[in-house]
Amino acid sequence: MTHKAWWKESVVYQIYPRSFNDSNGDGIGDIKGITEKLDYLKDLGVDVIWLSPVYKSPNDDNGYDIADYHAIMDEFGTMSDWEELLDEIHQRDMKLIMDLVVNHSSDEHQWFQESRKSKDNAYRDYYIWRPGKDGKEPNNWESNFGGSAWEYDEKTGEYYLHLFSKKQPDLNWENPKLRQEIYDMMKWWLDKGIDGFRMDVINFISKIPGLPDAPNPEGKNYVTGKNYFRNGPRIHEFLHEMHEEVLSHYDVMTVGEMPGVKVNEAKKYTNPEREELQMVFQFEHMGLDNGPNGKWDLKPLDLRDLKESISRWQNGLQGVGWNSLYLNNHDQPRIVSRFGNDQEYRVESAKMLGTFLHMLQGTPYIYQGEEIGMTNVKFDSIDDYRDIEILNMYKEKVEEEGADPDKVMESIYEKGRDNGRTPFQWDASENAGFTTGEPWMKVNPNYKQINAAQAVADDDSVYHYYRQLIALRKNHPIIVYGDYELILPDDEKIYAYMRSFKGEKLLVVTNFSEENVSFELPHDVSFEAKEMLISNYMNDTSEDYRTFALKPYEARVYKGV
Ligand code: NOJ
């Protein structure tokens, strides 16, 4: 039995502040810039804004390295700018959730500055320090951004753990004092009136005791050790404690980012009876176009894999927990370039992908620019890229391993995180209206054709289609609460599914290919259509809904019984 909740009925919009809107001409998006655009978001119809980190940070990882959890980053403005933003959001009847980055802090955080001073410093155990082993790192784990996950610190002659960059030391959740500091900080923000948290790599906070070496039977030079720090032995205990101490006292929304999480684990994290989180961001569908050597190893998507994976999540959490639904964020390439066609069928495929996602069971997340069909970018030179993950990978592959730079650039064009981080394209003026200064990262050269002003003015745009998708959710509870059932599991081009709720049904049919294909409703599916709720083509509504021809990237949703 699925319980009703406001956060299940909401649509979330993610803002990556650095790239959203620059109000003061320094080339960097800022908080006042966001406030200026709230009416745009309200018109789109979204309910909740998730703000990627805006805290004080040296920006080694664009704010995911926090130096002060209680202060705003200088480039983004002041605390009073932020308070004004929150107030303006609430005045428009929207909500704000903040990014909570507590697996690690910045090495410039005062805790770490103290921690590294001496082995008996009061903050030593806020981080994970170990002596070397036989003159080498304490274990063989690799950082998510390449190289060892350990950094030697001369002052005390020990190593500290950093699962991301060496400027992002991991916090030690085994230490109850550290946990209490985090809970107090969370309350401090909640008492300011925010409406919840998106929690960064939150399933990494419990590491396996003893921090053993990860197995490496094939002698590869790349060892993630990921099973040793993901969903570790105390993770449920920590999240439950966080719920008791903090979250249970507020009516808020929580979503935990969890690389590598499986459905069975997610059931535990999101089952309300266990009092941990409401939703997780899982990654399975984002890894389906990875080859055997990971993200940079390119492989085309097989639609049957997407169906198998999404259906397992839909069925697995149904009636137990709750899904988060996303195809884009600041760590992913643009979906229209990835699973759609960003050339001839950009508008059609962007709408089709939106339909596919928004009709599933769960809370949909829209990432800035998705609603106008922004695409991946191809900068000629590596010097135009800004992301630490891209730059480290390029250096490692090209400079250290001698790989062909053109090949490496190809994989950056397909998978690099900067694809999602180019400045938001507001209009056709210089720098896409994002800034009057020099943007911190170049704007995608296609901004003259693809921008919000154009999209708002064109009734047939991706933007207006997203508005419709969002509005439909408000008027048809079946879209939020209906049960999910996959049909045509083996079709390589069509993804079709049914939803059902209180005697009503939805039929969702999406063509993931650029070919004309024919759809046939399986005989054993009982469905009688009453109306077509939405489609990305002009269709003859009297056409038989049981068999019809689908145009390239066509999507249709029928409602009936
Ligand atoms: C996940 C965030 O989404 C990503 O941008 C960041 O680099 C890592 N966590 C480390 O905080």
Side-chain angles (χ1 to χ4, degrees), residues 88 104 131 148 170 195 218 253 281 332 334 359 388 420 440 480 530:
E88 293 285 333
H104 44 268
S148 169
D170 278 54
D195 304 290
E218 292 161 40
M253 179 181 144
F281 283 134
Q332 300 294 338
R334 294 281 177 183
M359 293 298 134
I388 183 170
W440 71 279
V480 179
K530 300 276 189 213

Side-chain angles (χ1 to χ4, degrees), residues 503-514:
E504 289 185 330
K505 287 185 180 167
L506 284 187
L507 167 64
V508 181
V509 184
T510 52
N511 177 6
F512 271 70
S513 82
E514 52 192 63

Side-chain angles (χ1 to χ4, degrees), residues 61 64 101 104 145 164 168 198 200-201 257 330-331 417 421:
D61 187 20
Y64 282 92
V101 188
H104 44 268
F145 291 158
F164 293 89
Q168 293 168 294
R198 173 268 186 188
D200 193 67
V201 289
E257 187 207 25
H330 64 291
D331 293 330
R417 304 197 295 184
R421 299 178 180 185

Side-chain angles (χ1 to χ4, degrees), residues 419-436:
N419 283 305
R421 299 178 180 185
T422 58
F424 191 99
Q425 294 162 211
W426 290 105
D427 57 41
S429 70
E430 207 185 342
N431 292 321
F434 163 73
T435 181
T436 53

